[in-house]
Amino acid sequence: MQQLIISRERERGTYHISAFYLARLTAEMPLAIIKPIGSVTIVFAMAGVQSVAAFFIHLGAVLLGAFNAQSMGSLLTACILPIDRCMIASMIAFLAQLLLGGFYVQRMPVWISWCRYLCPSTYIFAIMLGNDLADGRTFLCKTENSAFHHCTQTGNWSNGTAFIPRQDILDIYNIHLPDWASVLVLLLFLIFFHTSAYIVLRTFRKP
């Protein structure tokens, strides 16, 4: 229904597609902001994290993720008009995000490992994991069959315990970019998705 109304009003010259796109983006923005704030607040309260800085860094990463998901959805909607096909494409795209970014990227085959750098979730996970480990939080090594090289060295154990270094945890997930670089990449993704969606609507979806 919305597509028919927009096509009719564009054909009559009521407004430009840029006005429609910006209005739609503005209307959806409050929901994209409110939901992450609620979820992050609940998670941090349940986890007992006291750091205010960690809360806002985590919230910023989640908001960037929400904005990127929104922009990617706009691009898919612009490219794939039948709603049923668009929903299938969206599920495939976001499932790929989950599989290629985060905990599932430890032992990816070489032929597909490069795909993780095309996923915004990779950079969101990097910011969040780095933030969780920034306050000096440590994790005990397993007594045997540990995946961390530091834990397999007997000289690193004291009184029967050893702790995994922060950098080793980041290395096992191939996280090497600083937080500012991850934020920059996410902003570039955001610009790319919105610009591409606008170009598709303006060029290929004329009434």
Side-chain angles (χ1 to χ4, degrees), residues 143-159:
T143 55
E144 57 183 12
N145 300 325
S146 175
F148 297 93
H149 179 71
H150 179 86
C151 299
T152 61
Q153 306 298 312
T154 56
N156 297 324
W157 289 75
S158 176
N159 298 324

Side-chain angles (χ1 to χ4, degrees), residues 68-83:
N68 270 277
Q70 181 190 47
S71 62
M72 187 184 299
S74 297
L75 178 58
L76 290 173
T77 304
C79 293
I80 307 173
L81 286 182
I83 186 63

Side-chain angles (χ1 to χ4, degrees), residues 30-41 59 62-63 66:
L31 185 61
I33 294 175
I34 293 173
K35 291 177 67 176
I37 291 177
S39 62
V40 171
T41 301
L59 177 61
V62 175
L63 285 173

Side-chain angles (χ1 to χ4, degrees), residues 2-15:
Q2 186 182 48
Q3 178 188 347
L4 295 176
I5 295 174
I6 297 303
S7 297
R8 183 187 63 192
E9 294 183 350
R10 285 184 66 194
E11 189 174 7
R12 293 177 179 176
T14 306
Y15 46 76

Side-chain angles (χ1 to χ4, degrees), residues 105-127:
V105 298
Q106 298 181 43
R107 297 177 180 85
M108 291 181 63
V110 177
W111 61 272
I112 199 176
S113 60
W114 59 271
C115 292
R116 65 187 297 267
Y117 298 106
L118 302 179
C119 299
S121 58
T122 298
Y123 305 95
I124 298 167
F125 176 73
I127 296 173

